[in-house]
């Protein structure tokens, strides 16, 4: 008999009663070091006092009015995102997939407005992930996720990761944009080399294409910059953001330049819940913390330490860990044994991590993690690797 919850997940028999900073407290009475962060979402840890306060204060005042009226929190958060990035304008969503969808619609509308409606195709990359709606599935082209849901949404051409010749060949008269995650998260924690991102920007300029970045996972401080593309020194035309933006409250955003955003007029797009006062209160509270002087520098320092420790573990356990990859606090252990076996062995020892494609274990500590919590995590991974050895 089917479970009351649609069985699209198969979780272990574990739930949590509360969280505090880098720790979750399980219904099994145990404490877990949370290096999964709900898939890069609880970027400031659990129950961050500033976020809790912002949500509670807003909850006592006003929850929802819809976008039929002005929402002051949107004005404030949008302006802060505009001031901190390449963007001139922001649309708020409830999720990452919706942020990517908004970007896809803007790509099409931009070329339609410019008298080139035949240019609607978007080039994506193997191994990417953009969400679970019909269009975002097609944009990633992951056959495993598309199987059974055909016919696919038209308009996406998928090329191999980090393969410039293949990409150039795929650009045709109907091409409108290139969509890429600066660090592939779900696909196996694969950073795009900075020179490849630069080459993409150049190609886009040369062919009049839009560069569309999916920073749903890599953004909001995850790599030690507010957004991962800053490492490469290039800027996109459109960018999708979500996950860390609400620190655990569901919220996403699609950012764009004026050139692109001005094609969107009243009635062209919308969302009932997107950017509601609760989401904006928390999003602004997240920005209060992340924009503080020294916050991202501290993340970078801790991330360097984390990477060094992980590399030492890889040297110590060559039969378990093949490779350490990633950027900042978005790290991956490419495994020789099953990645699920390592995640299970870590969980048995009181630590949470997330699997990713390509047999990788994803490590996504909260950006607020302390050095001693990193050491604790390294010790647990060490012991878990030891249990899998031989
Ligand atoms: C998680 C993720 C999405 C989808 O976000 P949802 O909130 O699950 O819709 C899109 N792109 C990337 C890169 C992601 O990591």
């Amino acid at each position: 008999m089917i479970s009351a919850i649609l069985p699209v997940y198969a979780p272990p028999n574990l739930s949590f009663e509360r969280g505090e900073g880098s720790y979750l407290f399980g219904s099994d009475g145990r404490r877990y070091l949370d290096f999964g962060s709900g898939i890069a979402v609880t970027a400031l840890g659990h129950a961050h006092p500033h976020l809790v306060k912002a949500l509670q204060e807003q909850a006592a005042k006003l929850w929802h009015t819809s976008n039929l009226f002005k929402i002051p929190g949107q004005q404030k958060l949008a302006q802060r995102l505009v001031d901190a990035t390449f963007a001139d304008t922001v649309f708020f969503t409830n999720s990452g997939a919706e942020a990517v969808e908004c970007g896809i619609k803007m790509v099409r509308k931009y070329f339609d407005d410019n008298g080139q409606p035949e240019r609607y195709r978007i080039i994506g990359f193997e191994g990417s992930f953009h969400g679970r709606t019909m269009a975002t599935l097609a944009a990633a082209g992951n056959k495993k996720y598309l199987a059974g849901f055909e016919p696919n949404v038209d308009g996406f051409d998928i090329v191999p990761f980090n393969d410039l010749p293949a990409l150039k060949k795929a650009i045709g008269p109907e091409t409108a944009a290139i969509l890429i995650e600066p660090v592939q998260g779900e696909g196996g924690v694969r950073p795009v080399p900075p020179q490849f991102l630069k080459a993409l920007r150049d190609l886009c300029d040369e062919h009049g294409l839009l560069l569309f970045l999916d920073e749903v996972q890599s953004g909001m401080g995850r790599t030690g910059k507010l957004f991962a593309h800053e490492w490469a020194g290039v800027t996109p035309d459109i960018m999708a953001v979500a996950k860390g933006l609400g620190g655990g409250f569901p919220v996403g955003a699609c950012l764009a330049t004026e050139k692109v955003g001005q094609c969107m007029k009243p009635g062209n797009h919308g969302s009932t819940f997107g950017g509601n006062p609760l989401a904006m209160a928390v999003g602004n509270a997240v920005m209060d913390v992340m924009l503080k002087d020294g916050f991202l520098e501290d993340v970078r320092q801790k991330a360097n330490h984390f990477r060094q420790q992980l590399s030492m573990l890889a040297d110590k356990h060559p039969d378990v860990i093949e490779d350490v990859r990633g950027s900042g606090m978005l790290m991956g252990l490419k495994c020789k044994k099953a990645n699920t076996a390592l995640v299970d062995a870590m969980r048995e020892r009181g630590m949470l991590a997330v699997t990713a494609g390509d047999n990788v274990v994803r490590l996504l500590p909260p950006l607020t993690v302390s050095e001693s919590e990193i050491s604790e995590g390294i010790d647990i991974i060490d012991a878990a690797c030891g249990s899998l050895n031989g």
Side-chain angles (χ1 to χ4, degrees):
M1 201 176 81
I2 194 167
S3 56
I5 297 170
L6 191 73
V8 293
Y9 285 98
N13 190 21
L14 177 61
S15 62
F16 301 98
E17 282 165 359
R18 68 189 180 87
E20 196 183 318
S22 303
Y23 294 97
L24 278 170
F25 296 85
S27 46
D28 57 0
R30 296 180 63 192
R31 186 180 84 155
Y32 292 84
L33 182 63
D34 184 9
F35 276 27
S37 296
I39 322 183
V41 168
T42 48
L44 302 179
H46 298 282
H48 190 290
H50 186 62
L51 274 55
V52 171
K53 185 163 171 276
L55 182 60
Q56 285 177 337
E57 283 182 4
Q58 186 60 47
K61 283 195 265 184
L62 181 64
W63 290 17
H64 181 84
T65 59
S66 87
N67 285 299
L68 300 178
F69 300 94
K70 291 201 173 196
I71 298 173
Q74 279 190 20
Q75 185 59 44
K76 183 173 175 188
L77 184 53
Q79 191 61 52
R80 293 168 102 178
L81 287 167
V82 163
D83 289 345
T85 67
F86 71 95
D88 303 307
T89 188
V90 181
F91 180 80
F92 289 108
T93 68
N94 309 289
S95 67
E98 286 171 282
V100 178
E101 282 270 351
C102 176
I104 293 168
K105 287 180 72 175
M106 282 205 276
V107 167
R108 291 191 176 190
K109 188 70 166 50
Y110 171 79
F111 284 99
D112 190 73
D113 268 22
N114 284 287
Q116 296 179 294
E118 73 284 1
R119 285 178 84 172
Y120 70 99
R121 304 196 69 83
I122 297 176
I123 297 177
F125 294 85
E126 284 173 8
S128 59
F129 181 77
H130 301 299
R132 298 287 203 145
T133 65
M134 293 303 292
T136 57
L137 282 177
N142 184 333
K143 292 195 176 66
K144 199 175 88 188
Y145 292 157
L146 283 162
F149 300 106
E150 294 93 348
N152 298 341
V153 173
D154 179 37
F156 300 95
D157 301 303
I158 310 299
V159 300
F161 182 76
N162 198 19
D163 182 341
L164 205 55
L167 171 68
K168 284 181 176 159
K169 244 177 76 182
I171 297 174
E174 296 183 339
T175 305
I178 298 173
L179 169 58
I180 191 166
E181 301 159 80
V183 183
Q184 284 191 347
E186 202 75 24
V189 191
R190 295 196 292 178
V192 175
Q195 64 273 20
F196 190 73
L197 267 191
K198 285 198 183 101
L200 289 189
R201 179 71 269 177
D202 290 345
L203 271 177
C204 284
D205 293 342
E206 185 187 328
H207 295 274
L209 311 177
L210 300 175
L211 181 59
F212 179 0
L213 295 183
D214 181 348
E215 291 237 26
V216 168
Q217 189 157 163
S218 59
M220 296 310 291
R222 185 50 52 191
T223 69
K225 299 269 192 191
L226 193 56
F227 293 102
H229 67 264
E230 295 171 35
W231 288 107
V234 302
T235 58
D237 303 286
I238 304 174
M239 176 169 74
V241 182
K243 293 204 163 91
L245 179 60
F249 199 95
V251 60
C254 185
L255 283 60
T257 59
E258 180 168 18
K259 178 182 92 169
V260 174
Q262 51 95 29
C263 73
M264 300 295 276
K265 302 278 165 22
N268 283 156
H269 195 50
S271 168
T272 299
F273 294 122
N276 96 354
L278 295 172
M280 294 301 97
V282 184
N284 273 304
V286 168
M287 289 298 261
D288 289 340
V289 176
M290 288 196 185
L291 294 177
K292 270 222 180 80
D293 257 2
F295 178 84
L296 292 171
E297 198 178 291
D298 179 56
V299 172
R300 291 194 287 271
Q301 242 165 46
K302 291 183 299 194
N304 282 338
H305 170 72
F306 187 39
R307 178 187 276 274
Q308 280 165 15
Q309 299 287 307
L310 290 174
S311 297
M312 281 165 63
L313 279 188
D315 291 342
K316 186 173 168 188
H317 300 284
D319 294 338
V320 182
I321 303 171
E322 189 178 308
D323 185 25
V324 176
R325 48 168 89 157
S327 175
M329 294 291 189
L330 172 45
M331 296 302 295
L333 303 175
K334 163 88 173 157
C335 294
K336 282 201 176 147
K337 318 265 169 163
N339 58 352
T340 49
L342 182 54
V343 167
D344 289 348
M346 287 164 63
R347 193 173 64 248
E348 280 163 27
R349 289 163 181 74
M351 180 177 180
L352 305 177
V354 187
T355 59
D358 200 25
N359 203 32
V360 164
V361 170
R362 225 177 329 171
L363 299 166
L364 306 151
L367 307 182
T368 49
V369 70
S370 70
E371 295 267 347
S372 69
E373 287 162 349
I374 289 176
S375 301
E376 184 189 340
I378 293 293
D379 288 346
I380 295 175
I381 301 169
D382 189 9
C385 288
S387 77
L388 296 181
N389 257 327

